[in-house]
Amino acid sequence: QTQKKKMSLVKKEKVEDEVRIPLSKYMGIINSIENSTISHPPQNHSLTFLEISGEAKKSCVSLSFKIEATILSNDYVLIPLFPSTMAIYDLNVKSNSNKEEKIESCLAVQNSVQHLGIQGTGKYTITCHAQAAYSNFRKNDIVLAIPMTCCGKLNFVVPQTRLQITSIPSLSRELKAETNQTTLTATFPPTKQIHIQWTEDATNQSKSENKIPSRLEEQIVTSVQETIFSVGEGVLNVRSSFQFDLVHASRSSISVAVDEKLSLVQIDGDEIKRYWFSEPELELHQSQGDLAEKPHKGKKILHIELNFAVVDKYKFDVTLETSTGGTSAKNLELQIPYCLNIVREKAQILVEARTNVEVDEVTSYCISPIDISELSQSIRDKSTNPIIAYQTLFPVSSSVTINVIKHQEAEVLITTIEKAHYELIVSSEGKCLHNLRLSVRNSQKQYLRAKLPDGCEIWSTVVAEKPTKPATDSEGRVMIPLVKSNGKTAQKPFSVDIIFVVPSRNMNKKGILDISLGYFDVPINFLGVSVYLPQHLKYSKFEGDLEKVTAFSNSINIPKDIQPVNAALQQRVRRDSRQMNTYDYKEEKIMTKKRAGGHVGVVPVRVDVITVGTRFCFEKILMQSKPHNIRIHYSQSSSFLCF
């Protein structure tokens, strides 16, 4: 009908030119147009392969590039190639399908990057030559910014012999020594930058490095040291970080003098080939430009050999440890590690306590105490409990003597019950249902022990929303398995639910109801008790260890992860209980025990407790682990007397 109305409106309009076709054909034309829509590629070009050939010249590096590219768009495509700091000449673009075809291309600089413009889809081979400057004044290092391709190959030639040439990153590397040159052949993964460095072979350089360089050569090697001495539990742990600055110099091996009592735990650094210890010998040490003979008494030398000689900067970390002979130690000497064959070394020293030990300084030599806030941020981030901080420019002569005193540990609370809501539902037929909801924080305790009233029958135990199987110890206490509180900064509490039934006296016309409460081996910060009593009786006097209140002074919220009882079920039970005034718990299909005894060793079900009757509130702050009771005097209400 809607289609007919639309056609009638069209007929009323005066249209000079119109074509009428069946609706099915019109829809077929629309579908064919939608299906024939050409989708654009995710990107307009793709670079699959890059081959780099280079040779170190006297003033620069001569390079040649070969790039395999695929153009996916008919429009002009700009391909970013190399930075503007590189001089490109002799650029050539050829089509792989027709090598004689002349390809229109152009080279342009945009945002300090040289771009190649090509028009037309297809596969192309791009070749060019370039020149690039060295990255340092020693002319043995170059960093190339290159376009990212799927894979790449490198051929680099240095017209010198006995060299170590490295390229970072690289997947495979082959070094070939010829008569008057050294060639590196390597493959590299997709990357935007490749770093090439060449230095003298480490075997030829090791002998010359042990000698102190002449001042005329202007070779300067300095070091910045950060060392943390951690004491505690009878162990001295030493963590040292060394940052080398090499000016007009290179190093393929490093030597560090450490205390001979220390054992190596870990060493971490780039391009470490091997490391070993040697006995101290009479070695030359340069301090502020003056040569001096120093026998390294009480030291051993840690030698670190690298894969190739490093220049500019180098960093490595060393971890050592030794025993202090006990949890307490008197006159414990802390010998500062130091590097050999360097001009100057600055050291920041931090002494921290790993456990609850007291650290006192006895003496210090050739070292200055500083405030913790004066330390660098990097060493402060590594420490957990800093005690004393030092700084020195002469670690070769520095030492500190301390006393470590281990004190007896004090007992602390590892588990606490923040708040507890204790619900008691009493029936006139001699049954009392106990429903406990606890908010617990726990760090290490395995079981929560509960002393329940005599003759109780446990229905359910739930910990952190999961039903758990309780146990009993030799003293008859119920053991409830606990979990550990989660949270890094603050331990989050979890809920513990315990439901059990205790037989009580029949509530006749007049009497005293004595209710014993269960208690735990953990103190409760705040306890709130809600007692639900039959409505047909009158209650006049309340006694016991808890204070009767009209409302709780502290909010007792049901944990959010616990779903409340269905509201419709609550209303139905209250409606039925107006005439019965009692609630028969045997009718509830949530019990897991038999009338003649319960099941042992099975996981209980979760029980939803329904509260019925007149409510009275009691509370207590800081409830200790001891028995508590409530005594209630009751009599028959006048509204229920019969004449």
Side-chain angles (χ1 to χ4, degrees):
Q1 294 178 358
T2 305
Q3 187 66 26
K4 290 180 179 181
K5 290 181 180 179
K6 290 183 178 180
M7 295 299 293
S8 62
L9 293 175
V10 173
K11 291 180 180 180
K12 293 180 181 179
E13 296 179 356
K14 295 182 179 180
V15 182
E16 296 180 356
D17 298 328
E18 64 178 17
V19 177
R20 295 191 178 187
I21 60 174
L23 181 60
S24 58
K25 291 185 178 181
Y26 173 75
M27 297 303 297
I29 295 173
I30 297 299
N31 292 333
S32 62
I33 294 174
E34 292 178 352
N35 295 332
S36 63
T37 302
I38 301 175
S39 59
H40 296 283
Q43 59 184 24
N44 53 17
H45 71 279
S46 173
L47 304 181
T48 57
F49 180 75
L50 171 62
E51 182 177 357
I52 304 174
S53 299
E55 183 177 359
K57 299 293 184 180
K58 184 177 181 180
S59 58
C60 64
V61 177
S62 178
L63 300 165
S64 62
F65 300 94
K66 180 181 178 181
I67 305 174
E68 299 291 339
T70 302
I71 307 300
L72 306 174
S73 176
N74 289 321
D75 300 332
Y76 263 105
V77 176
L78 288 178
I79 304 175
L81 294 181
F82 307 103
S84 57
T85 55
M86 188 183 300
I88 299 178
Y89 61 93
D90 194 13
L91 179 67
N92 190 9
V93 181
K94 291 184 179 181
S95 175
N96 294 350
S97 59
N98 187 3
K99 297 183 179 181
E100 297 181 357
E101 181 183 359
K102 185 178 180 180
I103 306 300
E104 295 184 0
S105 60
C106 64
L107 194 64
V109 179
Q110 183 179 356
N111 296 330
S112 300
V113 178
Q114 302 185 62
H115 292 72
L116 174 64
I118 304 177
Q119 184 181 19
T121 59
K123 295 184 177 181
Y124 299 90
T125 301
I126 305 169
T127 57
C128 66
H129 298 276
Q131 290 181 345
Y134 290 103
S135 300
N136 59 6
F137 65 91
R138 296 175 61 88
K139 298 181 180 180
N140 67 341
D141 185 280
I142 185 172
V143 179
L144 299 176
I146 58 177
M148 184 173 288
T149 59
C150 297
C151 60
K153 183 179 180 181
L154 172 66
N155 295 292
F156 197 83
V157 178
V158 181
Q160 296 179 24
T161 57
R162 297 179 180 179
L163 293 179
Q164 284 285 344
I165 307 177
T166 59
S167 61
I168 301 173
S170 62
L171 298 175
S172 63
R173 186 171 55 188
E174 181 181 357
L175 199 63
K176 184 178 181 182
E178 300 179 2
T179 306
N180 56 355
Q181 65 180 21
T182 306
T183 304
L184 171 68
T185 303
T187 59
F188 54 88
T191 180
K192 293 183 178 181
Q193 179 178 285
I194 186 167
H195 184 192
I196 307 171
Q197 184 184 80
W198 56 97
T199 56
E200 186 179 351
D201 194 354
T203 57
N204 299 325
Q205 199 179 32
S206 58
K207 295 182 179 180
S208 61
E209 285 183 353
N210 292 332
K211 299 179 180 180
I212 301 301
S214 173
R215 282 182 178 274
L216 297 176
E217 296 176 355
E218 297 183 354
Q219 296 187 356
I220 303 174
V221 181
T222 61
S223 172
V224 176
Q225 175 193 159
E226 295 178 349
T227 298
I228 300 177
F229 290 93
S230 301
V231 292
E233 298 300 335
V235 176
L236 172 63
N237 183 272
V238 183
R239 292 173 290 164
S240 297
S241 176
F242 297 89
Q243 174 71 55
F244 278 83
D245 288 330
L246 300 96
V247 180
H248 301 182
S250 62
R251 286 290 174 92
S252 62
S253 63
I254 299 171
S255 299
V256 181
V258 300
D259 190 351
E260 63 181 358
K261 298 187 293 295
L262 296 175
S263 301
L264 182 64
V265 176
Q266 182 180 4
I267 184 170
D268 187 19
D270 295 334
E271 299 296 337
I272 294 179
K273 184 177 181 180
R274 58 174 182 162
Y275 50 87
W276 69 95
F277 284 101
S278 68
E279 294 297 327
E281 299 177 357
L282 187 64
E283 300 187 19
L284 294 178
H285 183 83
Q286 185 182 18
S287 176
Q288 295 184 347
D290 298 329
L291 295 178
E293 291 186 356
K294 181 177 178 63
H296 307 286
K297 294 182 180 180
K299 303 284 186 180
K300 58 182 178 181
I301 311 302
L302 172 62
H303 300 276
I304 303 172
E305 184 178 342
L306 307 179
N307 289 323
F308 59 90
V310 295
V311 296
D312 297 335
K313 294 182 182 296
Y314 184 72
K315 182 180 179 180
F316 68 96
D317 300 324
V318 179
T319 303
L320 308 104
E321 70 177 15
T322 186
S323 174
T324 59
T327 55
S328 298
K330 289 186 177 182
N331 298 326
L332 178 63
E333 185 180 3
L334 306 180
Q335 299 185 17
I336 314 302
Y338 55 87
C339 298
L340 304 181
N341 302 330
I342 63 173
V343 175
R344 184 180 68 255
E345 183 172 11
K346 177 182 177 181
Q348 287 190 341
I349 311 300
L350 179 63
V351 181
E352 69 172 5
R354 301 177 65 180
T355 56
N356 57 341
V357 294
E358 183 180 357
V359 179
D360 290 329
E361 177 189 337
V362 180
T363 59
S364 61
Y365 179 73
C366 200
I367 195 169
S368 302
I370 59 175
D371 190 74
I372 301 295
S373 60
E374 299 181 59
L375 294 171
S376 63
Q377 187 64 39
S378 58
I379 190 173
R380 281 187 290 171
D381 293 340
K382 297 176 184 177
S383 63
T384 55
N385 186 20
I387 304 297
I388 314 173
Y390 301 94
Q391 183 172 298
T392 180
L393 295 177
F394 305 97
V396 64
S397 305
S398 302
S399 64
V400 178
T401 303
I402 61 174
N403 284 336
V404 180
I405 304 172
K406 172 69 174 180
H407 298 287
Q408 186 177 1
E409 296 183 355
E411 295 184 359
V412 295
L413 197 63
I414 60 175
T415 305
T416 180
I417 301 176
E418 289 188 336
K419 51 187 176 181
H421 190 192
Y422 204 133
E423 290 183 328
L424 296 166
I425 300 96
V426 182
S427 69
S428 58
E429 295 182 349
K431 290 287 185 180
C432 182
L433 177 67
H434 295 239
N435 177 27
L436 284 81
R437 290 186 178 180
L438 314 177
S439 178
V440 182
R441 293 182 191 266
N442 178 43
S443 60
Q444 295 183 3
K445 195 175 181 64
Q446 186 177 1
Y447 287 97
L448 176 67
R449 285 175 166 82
K451 182 60 177 177
L452 304 183
D454 296 335
C456 70
E457 181 183 3
I458 300 176
W459 280 13
S460 177
T461 54
V462 179
V463 177
E465 281 298 297
K466 295 182 180 179
T468 57
K469 294 185 292 185
T472 56
D473 60 7
S474 58
E475 299 179 4
R477 294 180 299 180
V478 178
M479 302 169 56
I480 302 171
L482 296 179
V483 296
K484 291 185 178 181
S485 299
N486 297 325
K488 296 182 179 180
T489 57
Q491 295 178 341
K492 297 181 180 179
F494 58 90
S495 60
V496 175
D497 292 76
I498 309 171
I499 300 177
F500 58 93
V501 176
V502 178
S504 64
R505 59 174 294 176
N506 294 332
M507 300 182 68
N508 298 324
K509 297 181 179 180
K510 186 178 180 180
I512 300 175
L513 178 64
D514 195 348
I515 303 176
S516 298
L517 304 180
Y519 60 95
F520 305 91
D521 61 342
V522 176
I524 302 175
N525 296 346
F526 180 80
L527 172 65
V529 180
S530 298
V531 182
Y532 295 88
L533 300 174
Q535 298 177 354
H536 67 284
L537 297 175
K538 181 181 179 181
Y539 308 96
S540 57
K541 189 177 181 180
F542 301 90
E543 300 174 346
D545 303 324
L546 279 68
E547 180 184 1
K548 183 180 180 301
V549 294
T550 56
F552 293 127
S553 59
N554 190 7
S555 62
I556 298 183
N557 297 324
I558 298 176
K560 295 182 180 179
D561 54 354
I562 300 179
Q563 297 179 357
V565 181
N566 187 280
L569 182 60
Q570 286 269 25
Q571 294 179 0
R572 178 176 60 83
V573 173
R574 286 194 176 97
R575 184 178 61 250
D576 296 341
S577 63
R578 290 175 184 174
Q579 298 179 355
M580 296 175 59
N581 294 323
T582 58
Y583 178 67
D584 188 3
Y585 297 98
K586 297 179 182 179
E587 294 181 357
E588 197 60 42
K589 297 181 180 180
I590 56 178
M591 297 179 58
T592 60
K593 292 191 174 184
K594 300 178 181 179
R595 294 184 180 180
H599 298 281
V600 178
V602 297
V603 177
V605 297
R606 180 167 185 159
V607 177
D608 290 331
V609 176
I610 300 173
T611 57
V612 178
T614 304
R615 182 190 181 191
F616 297 94
C617 297
F618 304 85
E619 69 178 20
K620 187 176 182 61
I621 300 176
L622 296 178
M623 178 178 177
Q624 300 298 325
S625 301
K626 62 180 183 179
H628 292 77
N629 64 337
I630 300 175
R631 293 173 60 88
I632 303 174
H633 296 256
Y634 65 90
S635 61
Q636 190 172 6
S637 177
S638 59
S639 58
F640 286 88
L641 294 177
C642 299
F643 296 97

